[in-house]
Amino acid sequence: MCGISGYYSFHKSISSQNILEMNRAIRHRGPDDEGFWLYHNGQGASFSGNDSTQKVKDQFPVLTEIQAGIALGFRRLSIVDLSEKGHQPMLSEDEKIIITFNGEIYNFRTLKAKLESFGYVFISTSDTEVILKAYQQWGNSVFEKLDGMFAICIVDLMQQKIILARDRVGMKPLFYHQNEQGIVWASEIKAILKNDWVHPEINWNGVYTNFLFQTTLAPQTCFQNIFSLEPASFMTINLKDQKMTKEKFWNLPAKLTENISEEEAMKQIDGLLSESISEQLYADVPVAVMMSGGIDSTLIASKSKPFNQNINTYTISYPFSEEEVEKASLAARHFGVSHQIKEVSDEEALDQLKENIQHFEEPYSSFEVLINAAKYAHDKYFKVVLSGNGADELFGGYSHTLKLKRWLFMRNFNFIKPLIFTNDQFSQRVKNYFSQEAMFDFFRQSQISMMPLQVKDVLKSDIYTKISTDLSGYYASESKNYSGYFEYDMKYSLSSHHVFRDDLSAMKYGVEFRYPYLSNKLIDYVAALPEEIRFNGIRNKPLLRKTAEKYLPSEVLNMPKRGFSFPVHYFLKKEKKVRDFITETLESLKQRDFFRAEVIDEWWNHQEHEYDWVKIWQLVTFELWYQKYFEK
């Protein structure tokens, strides 16, 4: 788990001050070490940095200001092989292949054994060296063999190309900017903005999807000409002609497994989850399990104990989370593991509120409790935390999925939309409901964000007319069943939203979150199961619930689904400090030439529906985002 950055200048060498500043911007991702590799006039050289360990500084000179056409930067959070042998950028023996890698590869020991049988010799116990030699053996097909989370940059001087790659479901972020001068990439947008070529501009198409989905749909970001490399893909830049190509290396399995019983599916899932947990517990630093009190994380904690008798667990407590905390404590006692509760007070939640919101690099519709969870892990010296994230998407955990069959029936009456002439809030919601023609629209409705009509109302017309509101380019297969919804949950709810937020939250405090539910084998197996086994339209996560029955107490199994998120509406209604903060922020936003002030006032002064606070908070976080990244 680390941070990477880099650039390739198409026409002339540029100052290394660029890579120094880029790397400094993501210091929080890797406080343990840093390194650089620069290429100039046909020669490559490795450098240390001010934050490098002394042994690394003894081996490589500290980078100062020089010129280079290609530069790689690296920040290290030491998890596996804590020695300097795991230092990056890492070079092949002939120094023709250079790699920077952010993430963890859980099957690296299996791959290493295979490579050793081919005659490869290893000098470290790191997974980075395994990826490097695996690329030498298998080329681009290496990415489909990696089970884990990764953002990778490979410079191949033999084949004259640079490769950027991202894991199957986007657990590790990787952004890039391109123009006529060159290409810049990094683990976070903050680093890209430090490059001399990059000048921040608002991408209103990205803002539009952000307002509709609570997150910006990849490959767009809210910054013009800064893109998110899509999950399960790699991009190749040819060093000879600067041409760029993208390829997918994995897709969700299309062929469904036939003639399988529910009992057999449960047995297989149980075994695959155990295998995944066993692999993801591997680390050379302390590991903990974060428990929310629901099925997903408590099942991981229960199944972790056979592999680590001294496993630590902890739960974050915040307003109105009493039931979750009680169930987490009950579960911990049930299977006998150490358990701690970290209470997040109102004051602590509000502390650094502005800084935490701005850390996410785009508008957001909530407080992120995971930042508090990461800080607690950091304070307790847990560098690795296992999370239950991914189970909801993989097993159908969101309550909105239970409305799928009703929607498939009701869409037959979409013809009534033009017959609704009133424009009050209720009418807008009805129009929105009968605007859902595609499965993509139904998925959008489930995100509890602004509706398309609301975005149109609040944006000034000259801004709105710049936006491409046709989102059909984001469509997947559009099959009219649960499998169709599942595709969107995995692609956008998981990849663009949850694991992306997790990464930024965890890395703010130099902590690594891992996701046992998102192993290659488990995703492939569950995705290929017949719909009637994994989704019944009556209860969420039916298959995972039955798998968990032999591990968890009934109180946890029967607990209703609740999201792991801070109750923003509580603060909006009860906390004068927060209301004043919102009023002040909205007043600042109204001074800009983007939004209609009268609509903002209407939304703020007339909150009637349960989720009316969401669109207010989206506007607040837009203003804070704009202040951070566009005002000097």
Side-chain angles (χ1 to χ4, degrees):
M1 179 69 76
C2 308
I4 66 175
S5 60
Y7 63 77
Y8 165 40
S9 180
F10 292 163
H11 308 297
K12 62 178 181 179
S13 295
I14 62 174
S15 170
S16 61
Q17 196 63 35
N18 284 278
I19 198 66
L20 286 165
E21 291 293 330
M22 291 173 67
N23 224 38
R24 191 172 295 123
I26 53 172
R27 184 184 186 278
H28 52 276
R29 297 188 68 91
D32 297 331
D33 186 23
E34 70 173 330
F36 303 92
W37 179 86
L38 279 75
Y39 189 71
H40 179 62
N41 288 337
Q43 297 293 321
S46 296
F47 297 87
S48 62
N50 290 330
D51 289 337
S52 295
T53 65
Q54 189 56 52
K55 287 185 178 180
V56 169
K57 288 180 179 178
D58 292 342
Q59 187 176 0
F60 305 114
V62 175
L63 179 61
T64 56
E65 186 168 359
I66 62 174
Q67 299 292 304
I70 302 175
L72 304 183
F74 178 74
R75 303 289 327 196
R76 186 181 186 192
L77 179 66
S78 303
I79 300 291
V80 175
D81 191 344
L82 309 185
S83 74
E84 280 71 23
K85 291 179 181 179
H87 174 77
Q88 296 183 44
M90 188 176 286
L91 282 63
S92 60
E93 290 87 345
D94 60 5
E95 300 188 356
K96 296 296 184 183
I97 300 175
I98 305 91
I99 184 173
T100 52
F101 155 62
N102 167 33
E104 299 290 345
I105 305 303
Y106 306 122
N107 65 335
F108 82 97
R109 287 170 291 179
T110 301
L111 292 173
K112 183 177 182 179
K114 197 165 192 176
L115 290 165
E116 285 175 331
S117 72
F118 295 151
Y120 287 90
V121 177
F122 292 82
I123 63 171
S124 76
T125 58
S126 73
D127 48 0
T128 308
E129 188 180 7
V130 172
I131 301 171
L132 179 60
K133 287 180 166 60
Y135 172 76
Q136 291 177 277
Q137 175 67 26
W138 293 302
N140 291 343
S141 61
V142 65
F143 304 122
E144 64 192 55
K145 300 178 186 295
L146 303 177
D147 188 355
M149 48 187 180
F150 59 83
I152 298 172
C153 172
I154 296 173
V155 178
D156 188 335
L157 297 176
M158 291 288 289
Q159 297 193 41
Q160 287 290 288
K161 62 184 180 181
I162 297 173
I163 302 168
L164 302 175
R166 193 175 176 204
D167 66 71
R168 283 183 171 200
V169 295
M171 288 178 274
K172 293 291 100 188
L174 186 55
F175 300 96
Y176 66 95
H177 166 90
Q178 63 181 99
N179 60 20
E180 67 281 355
Q181 295 170 292
I183 181 169
V184 186
W185 61 89
S187 296
E188 295 183 20
I189 293 175
K190 300 174 189 67
I192 291 177
L193 294 174
K194 293 296 182 181
N195 189 281
D196 286 343
W197 299 330
V198 185
H199 305 285
E201 295 179 56
I202 297 176
N203 173 23
W204 286 106
N205 286 326
V207 172
Y208 182 66
T209 66
N210 182 282
F211 282 168
L212 296 184
F213 292 88
Q214 295 192 20
T215 190
T216 313
L217 303 186
Q220 295 288 324
T221 72
C222 289
F223 294 88
Q224 195 74 260
N225 297 320
I226 297 180
F227 303 94
S228 173
L229 183 63
E230 293 183 88
S233 65
F234 63 91
M235 180 167 67
T236 302
I237 306 107
N238 190 312
L239 298 179
K240 297 175 183 177
D241 57 15
Q242 289 82 50
K243 287 185 178 178
M244 301 167 63
T245 58
K246 292 181 187 175
E247 297 179 52
K248 293 279 289 184
F249 63 82
W250 175 82
N251 288 291
L252 281 170
K255 185 178 180 181
L256 299 180
T257 305
E258 302 293 344
N259 300 321
I260 184 170
S261 67
E262 185 179 70
E263 290 71 23
E264 176 60 23
M266 289 161 50
K267 181 179 178 181
Q268 288 292 328
I269 289 168
D270 195 5
L272 290 172
L273 185 56
S274 291
E275 181 181 338
S276 179
I277 290 170
S278 172
E279 289 182 335
Q280 296 196 27
L281 283 170
Y282 181 83
D284 295 327
V285 294
V287 181
V289 178
M290 179 174 59
M291 292 204 302
S292 66
I295 296 172
D296 311 338
S297 55
T298 49
L299 180 58
I300 288 174
S302 173
K303 291 174 69 63
S304 293
K305 190 177 180 184
F307 305 108
N308 183 347
Q309 289 293 315
N310 299 313
I311 191 72
N312 294 281
T313 68
Y314 72 97
T315 299
I316 300 297
S317 172
Y318 50 90
F320 307 112
S321 67
E322 293 82 4
E323 185 179 4
E324 287 89 340
V325 173
E326 178 188 342
K327 296 300 186 291
S329 300
L330 184 152
R333 292 193 299 270
H334 179 78
F335 39 77
V337 297
S338 171
H339 182 242
Q340 295 172 302
I341 298 170
K342 165 58 181 173
E343 183 175 345
V344 178
S345 65
D346 291 2
E347 292 74 21
E348 191 172 355
L350 297 175
D351 184 43
Q352 297 184 314
L353 174 61
K354 185 174 181 179
E355 177 190 328
N356 288 342
I357 291 170
Q358 291 174 330
H359 180 68
F360 287 110
E361 305 177 335
E362 65 179 26
Y364 190 33
S365 62
S366 183
F367 287 9
E368 189 49 84
V369 183
L370 287 171
I371 287 185
N372 301 102
K375 184 179 186 303
Y376 178 77
H378 171 270
D379 293 345
K380 292 294 182 180
Y381 303 102
F382 297 132
K383 270 192 171 182
V384 175
V385 175
L386 267 58
S387 164
N389 216 336
D392 282 325
E393 288 81 5
L394 192 60
F395 291 98
Y398 296 116
S399 58
H400 196 77
T401 59
L402 304 182
K403 303 174 185 177
L404 178 58
K405 292 180 179 178
R406 185 183 69 181
W407 169 73
L408 288 171
F409 171 75
M410 292 296 292
R411 65 193 292 271
N412 296 315
F413 301 94
N414 283 3
F415 65 86
I416 73 168
K417 178 192 170 185
L419 305 177
I420 303 172
F421 299 104
T422 51
N423 203 34
D424 56 273
Q425 282 202 36
F426 175 76
S427 298
Q428 281 198 339
R429 289 197 293 272
V430 174
K431 285 181 186 178
N432 180 64
Y433 187 84
F434 287 109
S435 297
Q436 300 172 53
E437 294 286 349
M439 182 67 72
F440 181 76
D441 300 324
F442 177 75
F443 170 76
R444 188 264 307 164
Q445 171 75 1
S446 73
Q447 302 309 298
I448 312 176
S449 298
M450 288 189 203
M451 296 180 289
L453 285 172
Q454 291 174 328
V455 180
K456 184 178 181 180
D457 285 346
V458 77
L459 282 173
K460 290 196 171 180
S461 59
D462 61 323
I463 297 291
Y464 186 76
T465 54
K466 297 176 184 177
I467 295 173
S468 174
T469 58
D470 179 6
L471 301 181
S472 58
Y474 293 102
Y475 285 11
S477 68
E478 277 296 306
S479 57
K480 298 298 185 287
N481 52 26
Y482 171 70
S483 295
Y485 184 89
F486 173 75
E487 288 181 88
Y488 288 123
D489 241 3
M490 294 295 290
K491 186 173 184 179
Y492 296 129
S493 176
L494 182 64
S495 298
S496 286
H497 188 171
H498 289 299
V499 290
F500 165 60
R501 305 286 184 193
D502 273 22
D503 177 85
L504 286 173
S505 298
M507 294 310 295
K508 188 175 191 291
Y509 290 100
V511 173
E512 173 176 296
F513 285 170
R514 294 181 178 179
Y515 313 99
Y517 289 107
L518 298 179
S519 71
N520 288 2
K521 291 179 182 178
L522 192 54
I523 291 175
D524 283 346
Y525 182 78
V526 174
L529 287 173
E531 179 175 320
E532 61 270 17
I533 288 183
R534 58 193 177 117
F535 174 73
N536 59 21
I538 301 170
R539 195 173 194 189
N540 64 331
K541 287 183 287 201
L543 190 55
L544 186 63
R545 286 180 185 277
K546 291 181 179 179
T547 304
E549 282 179 354
K550 66 179 180 180
Y551 296 102
L552 303 183
S554 59
E555 293 91 336
V556 173
L557 283 169
N558 296 321
M559 183 177 168
K561 165 68 180 171
R562 284 187 60 179
F564 185 59
S565 59
F566 210 86
V568 182
H569 63 284
Y570 160 78
F571 276 129
L572 265 63
K573 290 181 178 180
K574 302 295 184 182
E575 288 282 346
K576 183 179 184 301
K577 181 179 178 181
V578 175
R579 294 184 68 83
D580 290 345
F581 171 74
I582 291 172
T583 301
E584 178 186 340
T585 306
L586 292 179
E587 285 302 315
S588 177
L589 179 64
K590 287 190 291 185
Q591 303 309 308
R592 308 194 188 281
D593 205 23
F594 303 144
F595 299 93
R596 295 172 60 196
E598 66 274 18
V599 176
I600 294 176
D601 289 338
E602 173 68 20
W603 288 3
W604 179 228
N605 295 323
H606 298 89
Q607 295 183 54
E608 301 169 359
H609 189 261
E610 181 182 0
Y611 293 108
D612 280 347
W613 61 268
V614 173
K615 57 182 183 286
I616 292 294
W617 198 244
Q618 288 180 301
L619 293 176
V620 168
T621 55
F622 176 94
E623 169 63 16
L624 297 178
W625 168 75
Y626 187 87
Q627 290 176 12
K628 169 75 173 180
Y629 296 101
F630 295 89
E631 290 187 338
K632 301 298 181 184

